[in-house]
Amino acid sequence: MFASPQKIPAFTPPHPCTQLRVLGSERAGPGTVYHWVEMRTKMRIMGFRGTVIKPLNEDAAAELGAELLGEATIFVVGGGCLVLEYWRHQTHQRNKEEEQRAAWDAMRDEVGRLALALEALEAQMQAAPAPSALEELQAQVREVRAQLCARDPQPASPAVSAAKVQEESAQV
């Protein structure tokens, strides 16, 4: 009753990367092109300029093309890894330098702050009169007397306590 529709094969044009027009009217894949370039280069190096290069059969060209595409893929991935590693290293190096620069600036600021504090302390020291050595000794004797009085509230006799004070001042 009903006629089945006929299937029309879809036309798929060859992909431009896999098929190139080389060697006249025949279409050649990457394997054939590589073979043609390699053989032509070898012939020129050996001195045969006008030699015709016999094309590869279809199976050998397909195998060589697959091998080339595999090697190209590995090369691109390896090169990409190298580039990414270089960028990562540069970023790490730049961050490290920025951290060192920040630490250096912080130390420089701290040294400047400490220098100002030192100048202020030196100014205070110059403004205050320097006590003489005798005044320092008298202050130490007063401190020792205060400590002795705190430990020994009832001295035995005034003569003994005067002797102790003289001994202590002689030791100092």
Side-chain angles (χ1 to χ4, degrees):
M1 291 198 168
F2 292 104
S4 63
Q6 292 180 342
K7 291 192 176 186
I8 302 173
F11 174 72
T12 52
H15 195 274
C17 293
T18 59
Q19 301 234 343
L20 303 171
R21 187 170 290 286
V22 179
L23 303 173
S25 64
E26 57 180 84
R27 291 200 172 265
T32 305
V33 174
Y34 176 76
H35 172 72
W36 182 76
V37 170
E38 179 187 29
M39 292 306 293
R40 187 168 179 169
T41 305
K42 284 181 181 178
M43 292 297 182
R44 284 193 177 177
I45 289 173
M46 290 190 297
F48 302 112
R49 296 259 180 226
T51 308
V52 176
I53 298 167
K54 180 178 166 186
L56 286 176
N57 64 19
E58 193 171 320
D59 291 337
E63 186 179 326
L64 184 59
E67 192 176 312
L68 282 174
L69 290 176
E71 288 179 8
T73 302
I74 291 172
F75 180 76
V76 167
V77 168
C81 288
L82 285 174
V83 168
L84 290 175
E85 178 62 23
Y86 176 76
W87 284 344
R88 187 196 67 80
H89 177 73
Q90 289 298 320
T91 303
H92 178 72
Q93 190 71 19
R94 196 175 315 119
N95 291 342
K96 187 177 176 183
E97 288 172 1
E98 288 174 5
E99 288 174 4
Q100 287 177 344
R101 192 175 303 118
W104 181 255
D105 291 343
M107 285 183 4
R108 189 179 306 147
D109 292 343
E110 182 69 15
V111 167
R113 187 186 64 77
L114 290 173
L116 289 174
L118 179 64
E119 288 177 9
L121 288 174
E122 285 176 347
Q124 285 179 355
M125 290 295 293
Q126 289 177 355
S132 67
L134 181 60
E135 290 174 351
E136 287 180 23
L137 286 174
Q138 287 174 348
Q140 287 176 357
V141 168
R142 279 188 227 119
E143 287 176 17
V144 169
R145 280 184 189 164
Q147 289 175 357
L148 287 175
C149 289
R151 278 192 284 166
D152 249 351
Q154 301 170 353
S157 70
V160 172
S161 54
K164 279 186 179 178
V165 170
Q166 284 180 353
E167 280 181 18
E168 291 173 0
S169 61
Q171 288 177 357
V172 174

